[in-house]
Structure formats: structure tokens, C-alpha cells
């Protein structure tokens, strides 16, 4: 019966180039190395190495056997590493990037739960609406919404996202509430974008999709600023459900056009393909998924920013 230890010794002899060098690397006597190679050759029934007093050379059969067996050994070593990682408590620092508004609601709750669950972990959170280069900035994973750009990043879809329409009680008392999407053109709208004029919102509801022209007195490319303007009474805003939910519950905002949302987009977690996914990162992703599933209402998307 084949002994995996004999195969491992054979691979090390080939890689070291001699019995003496292999014995030194394996911390075993040279005679033991020679004996294990002889036992392997008897078991497989062919000579694997041509040995002289001055040289060591693979036979054709030995070369083929090394190519196949070394790959299998690497697979076993990787399996042992993964198993050890799975058994170990995740520890160390995880660096995360996310959009500003997203980090202020859903993500902060996930991080606090993660830190409590894994006492040996640390989290460094970088909130920015810019899409950073993960490798250059030393980021382990990032949350991205909408359409992903082509890249070498590994992406895992966590769910779908949409926004709802909200306004402050003060604004609605002054200006009334829209009864249908077309009414938005006669309202002040808080625009998430570079310009407060000539915007277009796409809404889905009542079994169809509508595009309406909107404008207003304030625009911002950062969601917390958009929400603050809506709370201050400067118009109707599109807000991620999870970001707006707390403000609706405490009365700072009210939902308008209840039957309409923006078209669903994707929420992804991305990480560099060149980097081994550590147990720490895996644990955080799984916890984020649990939080998303726990916080999703029957007719609402996850608490995110798009």
C-alpha cells in the first residue's frame, strides 16, 4: 500500500536535487531518505530515479510520477491549511471600504456584532463614495452597489437594492404629497447627483416603469447630505430603505408614493482575486449576509445605499 510519506520524501528529493539536501530539509538521516525512495519504487513497480555517486536524475516514469504526485501533495497541503484555518478562531485586522451612507446604518451594526463575536479581531473601516483600488489601498473587502465595472476583483452578490421616496412632514404640510409619479415634476426634489436641475428618476410600481423629470434647489453626490436636506424640508428624496427606515419610524421623514420604488440594483461584496480569502474575511461576509437576511422586510430590500 502506498505511503504518502514516501511520496512526500520523493518529491522533496526531486526538488532538492540530491538525497543529502533532501535529508537536511526533512531533518532525517540520508539512509532513511534512501530507504523510503526504494520502498516507493517497489510499491509502484518502476524505477523513479537514476542514482550514481555524482548525480541524480529522474527517469521518464519518475518525471511523470513527480508531476502528478506533487500536484496531489499540494492539494492535500492546501486542504490541511484550510482545515486548520476553519478550526482556528478568526483573529487579526480586516480593512473594509464602503459608501458613506451605507457605513452609517447597516454596516456599523454588522461591524459591532462582528467585534463582539470575535474578540481577537480588529476592523478598520474606510467610508468613501469613491471606488478605491483595493490592492493599492490595502483593503481586504469592499461593499459595492449598482453595476460592477469589469475588473479582476472577485464579487459575491449579497442581495438586491432599491430606493424609496421620502419627504419631511414640514415639506408635505407646505407643498402636499404627490399622488402619482408625474406629480414629482411640480415638486422640489433633492437630487443625488451633480446637478439640481433637469434630473430624471426611474420608478417602478403598479406593474409598470415610469421615467419622470425632476428638479429642485439642492443636489449632492453623498447620501447622508441628501437625507439631511430631505429632513430639513428641502424636497422629496430617493433614499435607500434601510437608511430612511429609522427616520420614518421617528417621524422625521414620511414615505410618499408608497407603491413605487427605484428599479432593483445589486449589492456585492468584492475582494482582490490575488489574495487568499482569510477566515476573518469569510466570517465577516457570512455575518453580513445574516444581517441582511434578518433585516429584510417582506416587501423591502436590504438596508443599503446605492
Amino acid at each position: 500500500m502506498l505511503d504518502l510519506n514516501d511520496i512526500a520524501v520523493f518529491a522533496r528529493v526531486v526538488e532538492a536535487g540530491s538525497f543529502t539536501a533532501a535529508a537536511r530539509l526533512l531533518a532525517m538521516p540520508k539512509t532513511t531518505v534512501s530507504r523510503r525512495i526504494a520502498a516507493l519504487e517497489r510499491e509502484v513497480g518502476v524505477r523513479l530515479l537514476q542514482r550514481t555517486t555524482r548525480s541524480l536524475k529522474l527517469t521518464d516514469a519518475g518525471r511523470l510520477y513527480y508531476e502528478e504526485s506533487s500536484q496531489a501533495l499540494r492539494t492535500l497541503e492546501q486542504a490541511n491549511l484550510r482545515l486548520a484555518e476553519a478550526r482556528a478562531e478568526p483573529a487579526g485586522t480586516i480593512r473594509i471600504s464602503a459608501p458613506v451612507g451605507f457605513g452609517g446604518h447597516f454596516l456599523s451594526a454588522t461591524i459591532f456584532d462582528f467585534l463582539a463575536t470575535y474578540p481577537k479581531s480588529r476592523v478598520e473601516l474606510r467610508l468613501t463614495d469613491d471606488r478605491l483600488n483595493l490592492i493599492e489601498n490595502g483593503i481586504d473587502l469592499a461593499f459595492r452597489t449598482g453595476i460592477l465595472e469589469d475588473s479582476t476583483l472577485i464579487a459575491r452578490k449579497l442581495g438586491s437594492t432599491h430606493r424609496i421616496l421620502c419627504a419631511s412632514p414640514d415639506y408635505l404640510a407646505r407643498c402636499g404629497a404627490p399622488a402619482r409619479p408625474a406629480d414629482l415634476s411640480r415638486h422640489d426634489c433633492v437630487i443625488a447627483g451633480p446637478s439640481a436641475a433637469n434630473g430624471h428618476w426611474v420608478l417602478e410600481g403598479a406593474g409598470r416603469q415610469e421615467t419622470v423629470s425632476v428638479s429642485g434647489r439642492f443636489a449632492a453626490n453623498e447620501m447622508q447630505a441628501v437625507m439631511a436636506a430631505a429632513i430639513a424640508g428641502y424636497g422629496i428624496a430617493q433614499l435607500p430603505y434601510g437608511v430612511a427606515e429609522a427616520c420614518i419610524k421617528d417621524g422625521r421623514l414620511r414615505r410618499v408614493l408608497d407603491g413605487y420604488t427605484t428599479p432593483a440594483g445589486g449589492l456585492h461584496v468584492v475582494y482582490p482575486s490575488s489574495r487568499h480569502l482569510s477566515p476573518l474575511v469569510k466570517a465577516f461576509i457570512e455575518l453580513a449576509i445574516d444581517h441582511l437576511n434578518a433585516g429584510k422586510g417582506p416587501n423591502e430590500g436590504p438596508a443599503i445605499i446605492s
Side-chain angles (χ1 to χ4, degrees):
M1 183 176 179
L2 282 174
D3 187 332
L4 289 177
N5 291 318
D6 292 346
I7 299 174
V9 169
F10 166 69
R12 187 53 58 92
V13 168
V14 173
E15 292 159 1
S18 72
F19 279 59
T20 301
R24 188 182 310 113
L25 291 171
L26 293 167
M28 63 174 57
K30 180 180 175 182
T31 54
T32 302
V33 173
S34 180
R35 186 172 66 252
R36 284 189 173 276
I37 296 298
L40 179 62
E41 289 178 330
R42 286 195 301 271
E43 189 64 35
V44 298
V46 294
R47 178 159 311 265
L48 302 174
L49 295 167
Q50 293 288 357
R51 303 181 284 279
T52 68
T53 56
R54 292 187 176 183
S55 66
L56 182 70
K57 183 178 179 182
L58 279 169
T59 64
D60 290 341
R63 183 173 295 103
L64 177 62
Y65 193 74
Y66 171 73
E67 290 172 356
E68 298 292 336
S69 62
S70 60
Q71 182 176 352
L73 287 171
R74 284 192 294 271
T75 300
L76 288 172
E77 290 172 356
Q78 189 67 24
N80 287 334
L81 175 61
R82 296 288 177 85
L83 182 59
E85 289 178 344
R87 295 177 61 186
E89 178 183 354
T93 300
I94 180 172
R95 296 173 178 85
I96 301 170
S97 173
V100 176
F102 182 49
H105 182 82
F106 156 77
L107 191 54
S108 58
T110 303
I111 289 173
F112 298 152
D113 194 4
F114 180 78
L115 291 172
T117 303
Y118 302 102
K120 296 181 180 179
S121 68
R122 296 181 298 275
V123 173
E124 296 178 1
L125 176 62
R126 183 167 180 179
L127 297 177
T128 175
D129 292 324
D130 296 329
R131 295 201 171 190
L132 303 176
N133 183 300
L134 303 193
I135 295 177
E136 289 181 2
N137 289 276
I139 295 169
D140 298 297
L141 67 91
F143 289 89
R144 301 274 170 86
T145 57
I147 299 174
L148 294 179
E149 300 173 355
D150 291 336
S151 72
T152 58
L153 298 177
I154 301 297
R156 179 173 177 181
K157 187 173 182 180
L158 302 183
S160 297
T161 74
H162 62 242
R163 301 182 189 185
I164 59 176
L165 302 178
C166 300
S168 71
D170 174 66
Y171 176 85
L172 295 175
R174 288 185 288 108
C175 303
R180 54 196 179 94
D183 294 341
L184 291 170
S185 63
R186 297 190 293 273
H187 279 266
D188 283 332
C189 294
V190 182
I191 310 299
S195 174
N198 302 320
H200 293 87
W201 285 356
V202 180
L203 300 175
E204 288 184 346
R208 65 182 186 274
Q209 188 175 96
E210 298 183 48
T211 301
V212 295
S213 298
V214 296
S215 61
R217 300 176 58 202
F218 181 78
N221 63 352
E222 194 276 310
M223 191 54 62
Q224 291 295 325
V226 171
M227 183 170 66
I231 292 171
Y234 287 99
I236 298 170
Q238 288 185 2
L239 296 172
Y241 171 77
V243 172
E245 182 182 24
C247 296
I248 294 173
K249 287 181 177 179
D250 66 20
R252 288 181 293 166
L253 290 174
R254 291 180 186 169
R255 186 169 179 179
V256 301
L257 293 174
D258 286 13
Y260 289 86
T261 68
T262 61
L267 168 65
H268 298 82
V269 61
V270 299
Y271 52 90
S273 59
S274 61
R275 189 172 298 171
H276 172 61
L277 194 60
S278 71
L280 199 67
V281 174
K282 289 179 183 177
F284 189 89
I285 292 173
E286 295 305 318
L287 185 61
I289 292 172
D290 289 343
H291 274 243
L292 282 170
N293 291 334
K296 188 185 300 183
N299 299 307
E300 303 294 354
I304 55 139
I305 184 168
S306 57

